[in-house]
Amino acid sequence: MLDEELREDVVNLRPRKLRLGHGVERLLEGVAGAESDPKKAGRADSLRPKADSVNAARCTGCGHVEYITREYCRCGHYLAGQIEDEYLAWEQGLAETHERLSTEADRKLKPFRVMALAALPFLIWPLLYPVLFDDFGSLSTWLWILPGIAMFGLFGLIHAFVTAELNDSAQALATANFEQFLTERIRVPSNSCT
């Protein structure tokens, strides 16, 4: 192939202008220079996201809605930093909620811990009886263990009930990430179709 003669029109190829299509070029022209031309600014506003969208962020500098993937707003404000600040505040709110629930659960469980301590003699006496009296003991001695087990079981149920919300909060705090923040950032109401 290299030894063949190329046609003259192939040798003199000129680069052609890249055409993206009329719709794409019109879109790019509408966005480019929109800040300087008020007529183009109206068209550029139609390219902004809706305010209730998950992908939208309201600029604190100018108040316009922009896509969260933009690093800077069209007014020049740093949007990425604003989103990061919102994320850090959200994460700190999760941590504060978890801490509040933790102290509240400790306060509620304090009297029930005393109940659990009251169950210890019922559990220890049947175990100490064979050591102290060199006798295995009767059935009535071993039945003393039942009230202790019942008290500990009740304490376990109360503990599980009181700490359920705390455990959910701990799991939410452990699995908190930026994607979850973006989905929870704007609660989109569900559309009810009737």
Side-chain angles (χ1 to χ4, degrees):
M1 173 109 187
L2 294 175
D3 296 337
E4 293 178 15
E5 284 278 325
L6 294 176
R7 294 190 330 225
E8 188 174 304
D9 60 338
V10 174
V11 172
N12 295 326
L13 285 178
R14 285 178 270 153
R16 295 183 179 172
K17 181 180 177 186
L18 177 65
R19 302 257 334 152
L20 299 174
H22 296 293
V24 175
E25 287 180 1
R26 193 176 29 201
L27 177 73
L28 291 176
E29 287 174 5
V31 174
E35 291 82 13
S36 61
D37 189 9
K39 293 179 183 175
K40 291 182 181 179
R43 281 185 263 147
D45 283 340
S46 66
L47 299 174
R48 294 180 191 262
K50 295 181 180 174
D52 60 348
S53 172
V54 175
N55 298 321
R58 186 168 299 278
C59 176
T60 56
C62 65
H64 287 109
V65 178
E66 290 290 343
Y67 286 102
I68 61 171
T69 55
R70 290 185 67 130
E71 200 165 323
Y72 290 92
C73 178
R74 295 174 194 175
C75 70
H77 191 263
Y78 187 55
L79 279 178
Q82 176 183 332
I83 297 295
E84 289 170 359
D85 289 344
E86 287 179 22
Y87 170 70
L88 292 174
W90 175 76
E91 194 174 38
Q92 184 179 7
L94 285 178
E96 289 173 355
T97 301
H98 178 71
E99 187 64 33
R100 179 183 53 81
L101 289 173
S102 176
T103 57
E104 188 176 305
D106 283 344
R107 182 185 53 80
K108 287 180 180 178
L109 287 176
K110 195 172 192 176
F112 295 108
R113 287 190 183 115
V114 173
M115 182 185 74
L117 288 176
L120 284 177
F122 291 102
L123 295 173
I124 294 174
W125 173 248
L127 298 174
L128 285 178
Y129 188 83
V131 173
L132 295 175
F133 299 108
D134 291 330
D135 185 15
F136 186 68
S138 64
L139 180 63
S140 63
T141 306
W142 288 102
L143 287 179
W144 275 79
I145 221 165
L146 292 178
I149 291 174
M151 286 181 183
F152 267 118
L154 183 63
F155 176 71
L157 287 174
I158 292 170
H159 186 271
F161 180 73
V162 169
T163 61
E165 192 175 357
L166 177 66
N167 293 338
D168 291 342
S169 173
Q171 184 178 3
L173 186 62
T175 60
N177 57 18
F178 194 70
E179 288 81 20
Q180 182 183 4
F181 160 71
L182 292 178
T183 57
E184 291 183 7
R185 192 169 144 258
I186 297 177
R187 301 276 182 189
V188 180
S190 60
N191 295 334
S192 58
C193 298
T194 55

